[in-house]
Amino acid sequence: MILVIDTNILLAGLIKNSMVRKIIVESGWEFYYPEMSFHEVRKYKDLVLEKSGMNEEEYAELLNQLLKHITLVPEEQIKPKIEEANKLLGKVDLDDVVFLATAFSIENSKIWSDDPHLEKQNKVRVFKTKHIVKLFFPEEKEN
């Protein structure tokens, strides 16, 4: 499976040792995240440290571990798709435009997000965490 993840999914993988983290690390699926949105991850670093109980070194190590399984998509690849994504989502949620544009730039990709705004378009399929968990762990419930 080819999935573009949004910031909340990446943060969920950082905050606790959950099924989200396990899926990113162990599934063998392809995960993509827009490089231009990485400032969002940095912005919430203190919150992640507080909620997770990690220190700076542990945080950096875990982020690097997750990024071994996530391809950062360069801005140059996404920019040509921004206008199309903006037409579909710009009036709904400007922050989600980049994730839709990223999905447009990667053939056969879907989006993994719990943000209901991304479902306001019908060009790219959106999976919520509960759906991803069911695909990866058919008999378990979400952590």
Side-chain angles (χ1 to χ4, degrees), residues 68-95:
K68 287 178 184 174
H69 303 278
I70 300 167
T71 301
L72 294 178
V73 183
E75 187 172 345
E76 308 81 57
Q77 183 176 332
I78 299 167
K79 268 193 166 180
K81 304 295 184 178
I82 290 283
E83 188 177 329
E84 181 184 358
N86 192 48
K87 285 179 185 172
L88 292 169
L89 281 181
K91 290 186 172 118
V92 179
D93 189 341
L94 213 48
D95 292 337

Side-chain angles (χ1 to χ4, degrees), residues 3-105:
L3 293 165
V4 172
I5 60 171
D6 74 4
T7 303
N8 288 324
I9 299 301
L10 183 51
L11 292 175
L14 284 167
I15 289 174
K16 71 178 194 170
N17 191 5
S18 62
M19 287 192 188
V20 169
R21 186 184 301 171
K22 188 173 181 84
I23 290 167
I24 290 171
V25 172
E26 296 179 14
S27 69
W29 295 341
E30 294 178 42
F31 298 99
Y32 294 88
Y33 184 82
E35 191 173 50
M36 62 175 54
S37 294
F38 206 74
H39 69 278
E40 291 270 322
V41 177
R42 288 188 197 101
K43 181 171 119 179
Y44 291 107
K45 178 181 174 184
D46 289 339
L47 179 67
V48 171
L49 290 174
E50 180 186 320
K51 286 188 170 219
S52 68
M54 286 186 283
N55 62 37
E56 300 255 350
E57 188 178 315
E58 292 167 327
Y59 171 86
E61 193 175 300
L62 178 57
L63 180 58
N64 286 331
Q65 180 189 4
L66 289 176
L67 290 175
K68 287 178 184 174
H69 303 278
I70 300 167
T71 301
L72 294 178
V73 183
E75 187 172 345
E76 308 81 57
Q77 183 176 332
I78 299 167
K79 268 193 166 180
K81 304 295 184 178
I82 290 283
E83 188 177 329
E84 181 184 358
N86 192 48
K87 285 179 185 172
L88 292 169
L89 281 181
K91 290 186 172 118
V92 179
D93 189 341
L94 213 48
D95 292 337
D96 291 335
V97 168
V98 69
F99 298 104
L100 185 58
T102 303
F104 285 160
S105 76

Side-chain angles (χ1 to χ4, degrees), residues 99-142:
F99 298 104
L100 185 58
T102 303
F104 285 160
S105 76
I106 300 166
E107 195 172 330
N108 298 318
S109 66
K110 289 139 185 79
I111 296 173
W112 178 3
S113 173
D114 292 318
D115 187 334
H117 296 125
L118 280 161
E119 295 175 329
K120 303 260 186 223
Q121 54 78 38
N122 60 4
K123 298 282 186 188
V124 176
R125 185 157 180 203
V126 178
F127 287 94
K128 292 187 179 292
T129 298
K130 65 182 180 182
H131 301 129
I132 295 293
V133 168
K134 283 180 186 171
L135 288 171
F136 192 67
F137 303 100
E139 62 283 332
E140 292 190 41
K141 292 183 180 173
E142 182 182 346

